């Protein structure tokens, strides 16, 4: 079975703790993504911010675009290592109800794995389908 390293997206754009809601929203628009990791100065993963975080925790609460990203990011993180199997990664996604997993090696963000990435491997199609099914069953989490 393939490893996460073989299918993950590398060169992930990330926000820093100096960024604001507007910066994250702009990055999502430019990169056409719905989630952006938040990293420290040494690429250590500190959090994730999703388009939903921006809307629910940010703009819907009348926070301006100049609000620090830390006020809306999720700091309860799940991640995988690049050497994890796609089955292991899909299990983490299903168990924790997440659609994207940061890939961390030696404490640093090196990539991102999405449900779409999982579906590229025939052997992980079933795992990706199971993960998506379990995630989709609990919309209150997203």
């Amino acid at each position: 079975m393939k490893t996460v390293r073989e299918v993950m997206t590398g060169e992930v754009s990330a926000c820093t703790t100096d960024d604001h809601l507007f910066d994250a929203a702009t990055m999502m628009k430019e990169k056409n993504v719905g989630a952006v990791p938040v990293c420290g100065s040494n690429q250590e993963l500190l959090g994730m911010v999703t388009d939903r975080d921006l809307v629910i925790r940010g703009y819907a609460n009348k926070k301006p675009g100049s609000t620090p990203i830390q006020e809306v990011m999720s700091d309860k993180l799940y991640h995988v290592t690049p050497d994890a199997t796609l089955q292991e990664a899909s299990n983490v996604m299903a168990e924790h109800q997440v659609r994207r997993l940061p890939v961390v090696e030696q404490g640093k963000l090196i990539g991102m794995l999405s449900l779409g990435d999982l579906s590229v491997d025939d052997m992980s199609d079933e795992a990706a389908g199971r993960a998506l099914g379990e995630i989709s069953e609990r919309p209150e989490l997203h």
Side-chain angles (χ1 to χ4, degrees):
M1 180 173 276
K2 289 185 181 178
T3 64
V4 168
R5 185 182 312 273
E6 295 175 76
V7 300
M8 72 181 193
T9 300
E11 295 186 34
V12 176
S13 297
C15 286
T16 69
T17 54
D18 294 330
D19 287 326
H20 301 91
L21 299 188
F22 178 79
D23 301 318
T26 301
M27 184 178 293
M28 287 179 192
K29 180 181 177 184
E30 289 173 356
K31 302 294 182 180
N32 194 29
V33 297
V36 176
V38 179
C39 293
S41 59
N42 292 321
Q43 280 301 99
E44 69 274 15
L45 182 65
L46 302 174
M48 287 283 290
V49 64
T50 65
D51 46 6
R52 183 171 170 84
D53 292 331
L54 292 177
V55 171
I56 302 298
R57 296 180 186 165
Y59 300 120
N61 284 329
K62 299 184 180 181
K63 293 187 186 267
S66 60
T67 301
I69 201 72
Q70 296 99 312
E71 289 189 29
V72 300
M73 74 179 193
S74 299
D75 57 6
K76 186 174 183 181
L77 298 172
Y78 305 102
H79 65 275
V80 292
T81 66
D83 297 321
T85 67
L86 297 185
Q87 182 65 51
E88 290 167 334
S90 69
N91 289 344
V92 172
M93 289 176 156
E95 179 181 347
H96 299 291
Q97 305 290 300
V98 295
R99 297 171 188 269
R100 302 165 193 92
L101 279 177
V103 182
V104 176
E105 186 172 50
Q106 297 178 356
K108 297 183 182 201
L109 179 71
I110 64 162
M112 188 71 68
L113 182 73
S114 71
L115 280 175
D117 296 328
L118 288 178
S119 67
V120 302
D121 183 61
D122 289 339
M123 293 184 69
S124 69
D125 273 349
E126 181 180 326
R130 184 177 67 79
L132 179 59
E134 290 185 26
I135 291 166
S136 298
E137 288 174 9
R138 299 193 46 206
E140 72 277 4
L141 296 177
H142 305 285

